[in-house]
Structure formats: structure tokens, C-alpha cells
Amino acid sequence: MPLPDFEISSQHLQSWIEECFSFARRGEVASYIPALRSVPKGILGVAICDLNGEIVEAGDSDYNFTLQSISKVMTLLLALEDHGPYAVFKRVGMEPTGDPFNSIVKLETLKPSKPLNPMINAGAIAVCDLVNGRTADEKFQRIVDFVKRLANTSEIILDSDVYNSEMDTGHRNRALAYFLKDVDVIRGDVEDTLEIYYRQCALKVTCRDLAFIGAALANDGQVPGNGEQIVKPEYCRIAKAFMVTCGLYDGSGEFAIKVGIPAKSGVSGGILASVPHEFGIGVIGPALDDKGNSIAGVKLLERISNHWNLSIF
Ligand code: DON
């Protein structure tokens, strides 16, 4: 069934998937996380969810992949719900970096020393430390429950291979986290905080889940279809602003010009996008560009945005 306002049908989406598929060959899957090396490049899927919770989808929309950096949006929202913006922005800034997502360089050179924003790894690790809970397990469980509510599903589980793979090899994140502990941005136990971060990155989702989360953000924090308010509208506004300025890291400027939709990418090749007051979009395409963003996924979003004139600018 097409989504009525835009007459989006899965046939539309399928024809764009066929158009964009060739771009997947130009990228590489993330190899710095060993468990992601074996992911096939030839996957491309999309789902769109409107504010009534109606979904259209095409391609590999039911393929399971890990959230990776997309999880940073949800944990930020939960930390904002737990503590409010004043406390959160004492620990992380509001500015884009223009640097890669795992960069260390500005942590020491900027004073006061705090991550520039919550979408880079350093900022996201600091935000994990802020989530309420007595133990790492309790904090992580709160994150999972929150993602489930936003995605309107009970089926979000951990990919333990990806989690173990990052826990074993994520030395750069470990370095970032210990630095943040030294400068008092992380207050809790560093290893616990890293465990929460790697677990949230390894949560498995589909395009449908991302589309639903994007629609909840587009709907100012109300669940599409049932109207339950899960997140305050002002926190959704903050999240969408970060998605515009930092959601695709040092590729955010080009994405804003070519696509113009608040979005957040992850190194598994997923992209969460949210068209304010219209709908959410979830995309998967595991082959990445050199900035860590899905090549075919970005092309697909560009196609969708241009066809319906969705740029917010
Ligand atoms: O910490 C990491 O490196 C990964 N778990 C997440 C990085 C990521 O997804 C960056 N996205 N483009």
C-alpha cells in the first residue's frame, strides 16, 4: 500500500534500489571490526515509515545489521531524559569536528577538554557514562528498552560476535575513554562504560526498526500510530540538529547539501533518517566510503530526497 501523502510505493523504492545498487561496488565493508569483515557488500534495503506507523519497504529491508554509531542518537536522547540538557552539555559539546569519528586529536588541544559533540566516539562514550543505572547491566538494559520502545518492537537483540570483536580490538576507543576519565568527563568505571558503548553498537536492527525510530523523531517524540510521548519534543529537536551537523561525521556538509535530511550513519552501513513532520527512513548498504558512510545508502537517500523535495533547507 503506498504512503498516501507522497504516494510512495515499494515499486518506486525497488526501482531506485536497482539504480543505486552499482554504487555498493565502489565501497568496502568496515574491516577494522573483525566480525564485520565477512558482511556481504551486495545488500541494499530501505524502509519508510509515516507518522501513522504505515511502512513501505523494498530490497533487503529485513536484513539484520548492528546499530553501530546510530545508537549514539538513542543514548543521547536517554541521557537527556535522565539529566536534561544542562548536565549533558557540561560533558559534551555542540559543535561538529570535521574530523573522523574516532579522532583523538582535538581532545587534548581544546580547553576545556571535552568531546566536541555526542556523535563522535569520544562524545558517545561520555554519554554512555551519563545513562542512569546502578550497574553496567542496568544501564545497558535501559538503553535496550528505550530502543525497543522507539522502534516499536520487542525483537532487538545483541550480536555477541560483533560485541566481542570490538571489545577485543577497540583499543582506540579504550584510549579515548581513559583520556576522558583523566579529565573527569567520565566519572564512572571506564571498562563498564566501554562495555555499555560496545553493547549498544552491537544491537541488531532492520531498516524497518530504523524507519520507525526516524518517524518517532519526525513526530517530535510521539510513537507513530499510537501517539504515546516517549521523548520530549525539545530533545528530539536537539538530536535532529546533531544529525544535520554531525550525523555523517566529516561527510555531514556534503550530505546536508545533496540530501538535506537529518540522518545518522553507522559503520555497519545503516543510516537512520528523519524528515521532520513527514516520515522516518531506514537504509542498509554495508559498503562504505572512506568516511565510514554507506555509499549506496547515501545515493538512495539522495534519490528519495530529490524526488519528493524533502530537503529541510
Ligand atoms: O566505536 C566504533 O568504532 C564503532 N562501534 C562505531 C563507529 C561508527 O559506526 C562510525 N560510523 N560511521
Side-chain angles (χ1 to χ4, degrees):
M1 190 177 72
L3 298 184
D5 286 353
F6 288 86
E7 298 194 340
I8 301 173
S9 67
S10 43
Q11 283 89 333
H12 269 120
L13 297 181
Q14 188 57 45
S15 69
W16 294 336
I17 284 201
E18 281 153 26
E19 251 176 62
C20 295
F21 198 70
S22 60
F23 289 96
R25 279 197 291 276
R26 301 192 193 168
E28 296 300 331
V29 300
S31 59
Y32 77 99
I33 302 173
L36 293 184
R37 279 180 202 154
S38 52
V39 170
K41 267 193 195 181
I43 282 173
L44 192 55
V46 61
I48 300 186
C49 177
D50 73 8
L51 302 193
N52 298 314
E54 297 290 337
I55 292 187
V56 288
E57 56 196 308
D60 300 304
S61 56
D62 55 1
Y63 177 78
N64 269 282
F65 54 95
T66 53
L67 270 177
Q68 297 301 336
S69 284
I70 298 167
S71 61
K72 294 167 180 173
V73 174
M74 286 72 96
T75 314
L76 171 68
L77 289 169
L78 187 55
L80 286 166
E81 286 286 332
D82 283 352
H83 302 280
Y86 181 77
V88 170
F89 293 122
K90 269 168 86 170
R91 305 274 193 99
V92 293
M94 300 183 190
E95 301 303 334
T97 65
D99 296 323
F101 60 83
N102 56 1
S103 178
I104 291 181
V105 68
K106 292 207 171 96
L107 269 190
E108 198 184 14
T109 54
L110 289 178
K111 300 286 181 244
S113 188
K114 70 175 183 184
L116 272 165
N117 69 67
M119 299 293 121
I120 51 172
N121 288 8
I125 294 167
V127 171
C128 286
D129 179 51
L130 276 168
V131 170
N132 281 345
R134 278 164 304 167
T135 61
D137 278 347
E138 208 174 289
K139 288 179 183 215
F140 174 66
Q141 200 48 55
R142 289 192 66 241
I143 295 171
V144 178
D145 291 343
F146 187 65
V147 174
K148 284 180 178 170
R149 283 180 73 203
L150 281 171
N152 197 33
T153 176
S154 55
E155 287 174 27
I156 305 271
I157 57 165
L158 185 83
D159 184 325
S160 44
D161 285 345
V162 172
Y163 166 69
N164 288 323
S165 185
E166 275 216 271
M167 264 311 240
D168 290 346
T169 59
H171 308 305
R172 182 182 279 254
N173 284 335
R174 200 158 263 113
L176 292 171
Y178 276 97
F179 184 88
L180 293 174
K181 177 75 179 175
D182 183 60
V183 293
D184 208 29
V185 169
I186 287 182
R187 307 271 163 88
D189 181 83
V190 177
E191 291 300 325
D192 279 357
T193 307
L194 283 164
E195 185 185 317
I196 297 162
Y197 173 71
Y198 284 137
R199 282 163 91 180
Q200 73 171 27
C201 288
L203 288 174
K204 289 208 278 191
V205 291
T206 64
C207 291
R208 294 174 68 92
D209 299 326
L210 294 188
F212 212 91
I213 295 171
L217 283 170
N219 207 18
D220 291 334
Q222 284 186 7
V223 180
N226 81 18
E228 186 198 352
Q229 191 80 44
I230 302 182
V231 194
K232 287 195 180 67
E234 64 173 295
Y235 301 162
C236 290
R237 194 168 44 76
I238 291 172
K240 282 178 279 189
F242 276 125
M243 288 161 79
V244 169
T245 56
C246 326
L248 276 81
Y249 307 104
D250 42 338
S252 299
E254 187 176 341
F255 187 82
I257 289 168
K258 292 186 173 166
V259 183
I261 300 173
K264 180 76 201 82
S265 65
V267 289
S268 52
I271 304 178
L272 159 72
S274 178
V275 186
H277 310 298
E278 301 292 0
F279 43 69
I281 310 173
V283 164
I284 179 67
L288 309 177
D289 62 19
D290 56 1
K291 295 176 174 170
N293 301 314
S294 168
I295 294 196
V298 167
K299 281 285 168 202
L300 195 51
L301 286 171
E302 189 178 336
R303 195 75 184 78
I304 293 171
S305 177
N306 289 342
H307 186 84
W308 279 290
N309 205 11
L310 298 177
S311 172
I312 62 170
F313 299 106

